[in-house]
Amino acid sequence: MKKLFEQDLKVVNVGLQGFATNITAAGGEVTNLTWAPPAGADPALGWTLATLIGDPRIEAANHTAFERYLAAQPRLVDLVRASEVIAGLGPRERRILHSGPPIAWPDMCGPQRGAIAGAILYEGWADDLDSAETLAGSGEVALEPCHEHGAVGPMAGIISPTMPVWVVENTAAGNRAYCNLNEGLGKVLRFGANSPDVLDRLRWLGSDFFATMQVAVRGLADPDLKPLMAQALHMGDELHNRNAAASALLFKRLTLSLLGSDVPSDAVRRALEFVAGNDHFFLNISMAASKSMSDAAAGVPGSSMVTVMARNGVNFGIKLSGTGDQWFQAPANPVDGLYFPGYTVDDAAADLGDSAITETNGLGGFAMAASPAIVQFVGGTPADATANSRRMLSITLGANPAFTLPPLNFGGTPAGIDARLVVDTGVLPIINTGIAHRQAGVGQIGAGITTAPMECFNDALAALASGLGEQK
């Protein structure tokens, strides 16, 4: 004991930082471990969590769901009009899909309302913005989440019947997912802009560009997306807010396809110029690929694996594999971001978009270690990016060996968010995101990092436990 007290003081402090500060002031060396009681110290929720940890039914269900996710093989198979492939968007139906969980028109944020009004003008259902907004609020146009139709959309997430959508098929299971086209940066529909120039761009994307890209996609020599996405991670993308490498890799494939086609050279040149000038072009395809992979894991009774994370600018919603189509919602967390000159957090809408489907699949914020350049856009340092990826391993069922991260010794990206682990550790899924102005028509004003709200996971666990109890 005497020898022990003669040694330099080295302490592991668990919990309150104040204890560590006092020891350091006294000359001791402290390793501080952040800790809090599981389930936010809620006794009832803590007991529910305790009954779910180690439950063999959940373990077996999670194994099945995770293996289906890992086995998924997304392939870009087509580009068609939404009305041709998405149920409920037929030519005689007035329905518009939006991002995030369900929400009524009066409760929507400014960017989503602006984008819906723009889509109504694009479809020719109204002649001016005032009439479009009146129509949207009348109930004569159905407004439903993309996720409830096998689709996803970034930011406002708008898909209307005549808009082109990418078709991605998981060839391992046969399920398909859809996403709209990426319009580029600036004032675009997905950020709520709906001015004449925005609509003119959408009409070109839905006509000449669509015709050219459809030929390109159908002529691809290699439509498999998983290897392309894996290569992009090794080239500095995280496949959410940074898609420069993936877009360039896709550009090569599209160009080679079009060189062998009979599409007029002027149309080819204009289409490829647009793709080459849009580093976010691959984002929407990445989202559809991620949707096809997560949907492969959905519908496994008893599984606590998260298959959907989505935001509508007001609420954040998740779905679990084992609780069917039920949404679990809570107010969206604010975004800790970098703002364009002239804008501040007071100008920002709440977290928005279906693009968190990438994080649901171990990409985006979960893969930040692969993309040190992303921190210039979302804040922090390369060390922070690596730490974020490591921290996500504490809340996932495993790692995806197909998507490896060089800074983590080529370990797989953290994947398969387990709602039990989120509640147990208090570690929230991290998400890279763009920031939209809270008013319609302004567009993007920055980018940053946010997290999912804990309340979603608390409610999801309660529902999962209730369902398992009924099975006994």
Side-chain angles (χ1 to χ4, degrees):
M1 184 67 70
K2 183 177 180 181
K3 289 182 179 180
L4 177 64
F5 283 103
E6 289 174 350
Q7 298 174 14
D8 292 336
L9 185 63
K10 297 181 179 179
V11 178
V12 175
N13 180 63
V14 180
L16 296 176
Q17 179 69 39
F19 291 131
T21 302
N22 292 336
I23 295 171
T24 302
E29 180 182 333
V30 182
T31 299
N32 192 64
L33 300 180
T34 301
W35 180 86
D42 181 322
L45 182 60
W47 177 252
T48 297
L49 176 64
T51 65
L52 299 180
I53 296 293
D55 187 316
R57 296 171 296 175
I58 298 179
E59 300 302 328
N62 281 345
H63 178 78
T64 298
F66 192 60
E67 288 301 310
R68 290 179 183 176
Y69 156 73
L70 291 179
Q73 296 294 332
R75 173 177 288 186
L76 181 60
V77 296
D78 213 342
L79 178 68
V80 298
R81 299 200 184 279
S83 60
E84 297 178 40
V85 289
I86 298 179
L89 291 187
R92 295 184 179 180
E93 298 179 82
R94 288 190 172 185
R95 178 176 280 103
I96 291 176
L97 308 185
H98 61 77
S99 62
I103 188 169
W105 170 262
D107 300 323
M108 288 182 175
C109 67
Q112 201 158 71
R113 289 170 64 126
I116 287 171
I120 288 174
L121 292 179
Y122 171 79
E123 293 293 339
W125 299 340
D127 296 326
D128 55 62
L129 277 176
D130 288 341
S131 299
E133 291 175 357
T134 300
L135 181 62
S138 70
E140 295 181 23
V141 177
L143 306 174
E144 299 172 2
C146 290
H147 270 292
E148 295 185 355
H149 293 264
V152 280
M155 301 309 292
I158 303 305
I159 299 177
S160 61
T162 63
M163 289 182 179
V165 291
W166 302 108
V167 181
V168 174
E169 180 176 335
N170 166 26
T171 57
N175 61 292
R176 289 187 167 192
Y178 314 99
C179 192
N180 52 11
L181 295 176
N182 192 287
E183 312 152 75
L185 298 177
K187 289 189 175 183
V188 289
L189 190 77
R190 71 177 182 276
F191 281 100
N194 50 31
S195 57
D197 57 321
V198 171
L199 297 177
D200 286 344
R201 185 192 302 113
L202 284 173
R203 293 184 181 107
W204 175 72
L205 288 171
S207 55
D208 295 349
F209 182 82
F210 165 63
T212 301
M213 279 297 108
Q214 187 179 69
V215 172
V217 170
R218 291 178 175 179
L220 286 174
D222 182 5
D224 289 330
L225 294 173
K226 215 168 186 177
L228 186 155
M229 295 163 72
Q231 185 178 358
L233 287 174
H234 289 187
M235 297 170 67
D237 282 1
E238 39 77 89
L239 294 166
H240 186 167
N241 258 4
R242 192 179 194 278
N243 283 274
S247 295
L249 293 170
L250 179 67
F251 177 83
K252 290 167 60 177
R253 295 186 185 186
L254 295 172
T255 300
L256 291 173
S257 177
L258 287 172
L259 287 176
S261 73
D262 58 1
V263 177
S265 58
D266 285 349
V268 170
R269 176 184 55 79
R270 190 176 180 198
L272 291 179
E273 283 178 348
F274 179 81
V275 177
N278 182 3
D279 283 347
H280 274 67
F281 188 76
F282 189 79
L283 168 63
N284 298 46
I285 298 173
S286 172
M287 290 173 58
S290 294
K291 174 67 172 169
S292 74
M293 290 188 283
S294 68
D295 275 0
V300 180
S303 173
S304 58
M305 180 174 164
V306 177
T307 55
V308 170
M309 294 196 298
R311 313 90 87 202
N312 57 28
V314 177
N315 292 327
F316 192 111
I318 69 170
K319 291 185 179 184
L320 301 188
S321 173
T323 53
D325 291 330
Q326 188 174 357
W327 285 97
F328 304 98
Q329 301 185 50
N333 285 339
V335 179
D336 181 13
L338 299 177
Y339 290 86
F340 299 161
Y343 297 104
T344 69
V345 65
D346 293 333
D347 300 308
D351 197 20
L352 178 65
D354 288 334
S355 54
I357 194 65
T358 54
E359 278 83 5
T360 311
N361 283 270
L363 303 171
F366 283 51
M368 284 180 70
S371 185
I374 194 68
V375 300
Q376 294 180 309
F377 195 46
V378 299
T381 67
D384 294 331
T386 300
N388 284 333
S389 292
R390 292 187 186 278
R391 190 166 66 256
M392 294 302 100
L393 286 168
S394 67
I395 59 171
T396 53
L397 295 171
N400 189 337
F403 297 143
T404 58
L405 304 175
L408 298 187
N409 296 320
F410 292 94
T413 59
I417 300 167
D418 186 344
R420 298 175 304 171
L421 294 177
V422 174
V423 176
D424 189 24
T425 64
V427 174
L428 295 170
I430 192 167
I431 298 165
N432 292 342
T433 185
I435 304 174
H437 197 284
R438 57 187 177 85
Q439 296 179 355
V442 177
Q444 185 175 10
I445 61 172
I449 294 173
T450 189
T451 56
M454 181 61 78
E455 292 88 341
C456 295
F457 300 92
N458 294 345
D459 293 345
L461 276 194
L464 183 66
S466 176
L468 288 170
E470 293 172 358
Q471 294 176 22
K472 291 182 179 179

